[in-house]
Each structure stands twice: as structure tokens, then as C-alpha cells.
Amino acid sequence: MVERMVGRQAPEFTMEAVLADKSFGKVSLEENMKNDKWTVLFFYPMDFTFVCPTEITAMSDRYDEFEDLDAEVVGVSTDTIHTHLAWINTDRKDNGLEQLKYPLAADTNHAVSRNYGVLIEEEGIALRGLFIISPEGELKYQTVFHNDIGRDVDETLRVLQALQTGGLCPANWRPGQKTL
């Protein structure tokens, strides 16, 4: 049975990651909450694929906008930190990531992907899931879809800004417009 997650406390996580400076470290929801940050947590199936680098680099290219909104972005797959680093060290023209402004986390034991309901058990990879978590740890937004389709960074930023208004945002609401 599938359980509702939105409006509840987000599953906590701590994962090994390749940080923006290409060093190895850890990322955690607890740390983001302690720093009063929103968390934009997104899952992708695996490194060295074709759709994934388009959305991962698109998020990195717009990272400053997330930062301006007090949000930490964390990308996650079930690959290892060593595979992440190899992909980051590959040029974009060669289907690599080249440089990222946010961490890529390694969910090698599949626990976080499972807790967020995106793990394809029989394949050991995650669906494309995106979760926006408030600084208090409440899961405010989730979307999960087929791995053939990349995410829209504009929509992710729009939803984050809508959530931060604290108001009721009508259909097609855009930043700067009135809430209900």
C-alpha cells in the first residue's frame, strides 16, 4: 500500500556525496534543517546515461537561483561516489557533467530511494523523483515520473517560490503575482 508523504515529516537522510568542490563528504536533511534551508532533493536513475546529464547540468546552471531562495539542491542516484566523480570529471561534450555547483549523493544501499518511494527494486535504480522539503523538515511537494523524461528547472523554481509565499497560489501562478 502506498502512503501519502506530502504534508508529513520527510524521511531523514544522510548520504556520502561528491561535493561541489569535487571532494567526498556527506549530505543530510538534518544539516539543511539546522541551517534553516529548503531542500530540493531529486533522484535520477544512474550516471553515464543520456537524459540525466541534461537535467543535472540544467539544475547546476541555475543553482544560484536556488541559493537565492535559501535552498540546497541534492542530486541522488544509486551509483557510488566514485562513479559520480568520474562522471563529474567528464566533459559535457562527452556526455559528462564537467562541474556541478551542488552535491551528488550516493544511495548505494537503496535506503533513501526506498524511503522516498522511487526505487525500482528489480533494477536497483531510482525513478525521477523530485521532493521539496521545508526548513522544518516537512515534505511540501513531490513529483515522480518515468525515467524517459527530464525535469523542468523553471517549474521547480516556480513551485519552490510558490511554497515560500505561505499563501494560496492559483493555477498558473508566477512569482510576483498575488496569492489568493
Side-chain angles (χ1 to χ4, degrees):
M1 172 180 262
V2 177
E3 258 190 60
R4 166 181 75 82
M5 292 177 62
V6 171
R8 294 187 173 160
Q9 197 68 20
E12 291 196 17
F13 63 81
T14 298
M15 291 177 281
E16 297 290 327
V18 178
L19 306 177
D21 66 0
K22 297 186 182 182
S23 68
F24 294 138
K26 290 186 185 281
V27 293
S28 74
L29 179 57
E30 181 182 2
E31 187 68 22
N32 291 350
M33 291 169 58
K34 190 176 4 173
N35 292 325
D36 201 32
K37 298 286 186 178
W38 288 79
T39 301
V40 177
L41 178 69
F42 74 92
F43 294 84
Y44 64 94
M46 63 181 125
D47 297 350
F48 292 100
T49 56
F50 299 101
V51 175
C52 298
T54 65
E55 64 180 358
I56 293 169
T57 57
M59 293 283 269
S60 184
D61 292 345
R62 307 274 304 274
Y63 179 75
D64 293 346
E65 293 173 67
F66 288 100
E67 197 172 45
D68 289 345
L69 295 169
D70 290 324
E72 293 293 337
V73 176
V74 179
V76 182
S77 82
T78 57
D79 291 301
T80 68
I81 54 175
H82 303 287
T83 305
H84 288 342
L85 183 58
W87 199 24
I88 290 168
N89 284 332
T90 302
D91 289 341
R92 286 187 182 187
K93 65 180 174 44
D94 295 324
N95 203 37
L97 303 177
E98 201 166 306
Q99 179 65 49
L100 294 181
K101 294 182 179 177
Y102 60 85
L104 283 188
D107 182 27
T108 54
N109 66 6
H110 306 170
V112 180
S113 300
R114 190 174 289 113
N115 288 342
Y116 278 84
V118 298
L119 183 65
I120 304 171
E121 292 279 352
E122 60 275 13
E123 296 180 41
I125 62 171
L127 288 166
R128 290 188 199 286
L130 177 88
F131 301 84
I132 299 178
I133 305 164
S134 75
E136 297 75 38
E138 181 183 351
L139 183 58
K140 295 285 203 170
Y141 176 84
Q142 88 176 58
T143 181
V144 180
F145 46 96
H146 196 279
N147 283 335
D148 292 348
I149 305 163
R151 281 167 269 255
D152 185 325
V153 178
D154 287 331
E155 178 62 3
T156 303
L157 284 162
R158 185 192 77 83
V159 169
L160 177 60
Q161 290 169 310
L163 290 169
Q164 290 180 348
T165 69
L168 302 173
C169 297
N172 301 317
W173 177 89
R174 295 283 177 244
Q177 294 178 338
K178 290 185 179 183
T179 58
L180 300 177

